[in-house]
Amino acid sequence: MVSRRSPLKSAVPSNIVSPVRRCSRTACGRPAVATLTYVYADSTAVLGPLATYAEPHCYDLCAEHGQRLTAPRGWEVVRLTDGSAPAQPSGDDLEALANAVREAARPPERSPDGGGKGARGADPMEVGRRGHLRVLRSPES
């Protein structure tokens, strides 16, 4: 006798796949609370809040593994905290984003000697730079 039920209707429901993202560490089943990203060019490991969605080259970590994280010798660990960050972008955040987009769209300035962009660090808001990352001065200071 041939069954007329489709394979999907006869399948056993599975609880193996969970909608909750889990820690990427082997044999750890705890829920992920942070995302680890490596910036190889800067020899930096960045541990920040859980990313909006899973990325292929990022690692989700539970609270315990996030706290115990160490980096290889010569690498720097940057821990980003979202402690009191607002849920929605503030007006300052949106303005900073708009300014960054305008700056990126602006053609590079030419110096009188025909070289590329002017002196590095000419932006008065820029405090420091490490590779492609910039540290900006707070507008209050």
Side-chain angles (χ1 to χ4, degrees), residues 3 15 25 33-34 46 54 57 108 130 134:
S3 173
N15 59 359
R25 296 292 302 261
V33 297
V46 180
H57 300 289
R130 182 177 176 121
R134 298 185 321 164

Side-chain angles (χ1 to χ4, degrees), residues 65-85:
H65 286 122
Q67 289 173 346
R68 294 185 350 199
L69 175 73
T70 59
R73 183 176 293 143
W75 281 58
E76 181 180 352
V77 177
V78 176
R79 295 177 188 272
L80 304 174
T81 58
D82 65 345
S84 62

Side-chain angles (χ1 to χ4, degrees), residues 31-62:
V33 297
T35 298
L36 173 65
T37 306
Y38 291 106
V39 182
Y40 292 97
D42 296 333
S43 299
T44 304
V46 180
L47 183 68
L50 189 62
T52 307
Y53 54 92
E55 292 281 345
H57 300 289
C58 295
Y59 303 91
D60 294 336
L61 299 177
C62 65

Side-chain angles (χ1 to χ4, degrees), residues 5 17 50 72 109-110:
R5 292 175 27 177
V17 179
L50 189 62
E109 297 173 12
R110 297 285 179 180

Side-chain angles (χ1 to χ4, degrees), residues 17-31:
V17 179
S18 170
V20 176
R21 288 175 28 204
R22 301 286 177 189
C23 183
S24 297
R25 296 292 302 261
T26 306
C28 181
R30 291 185 288 259

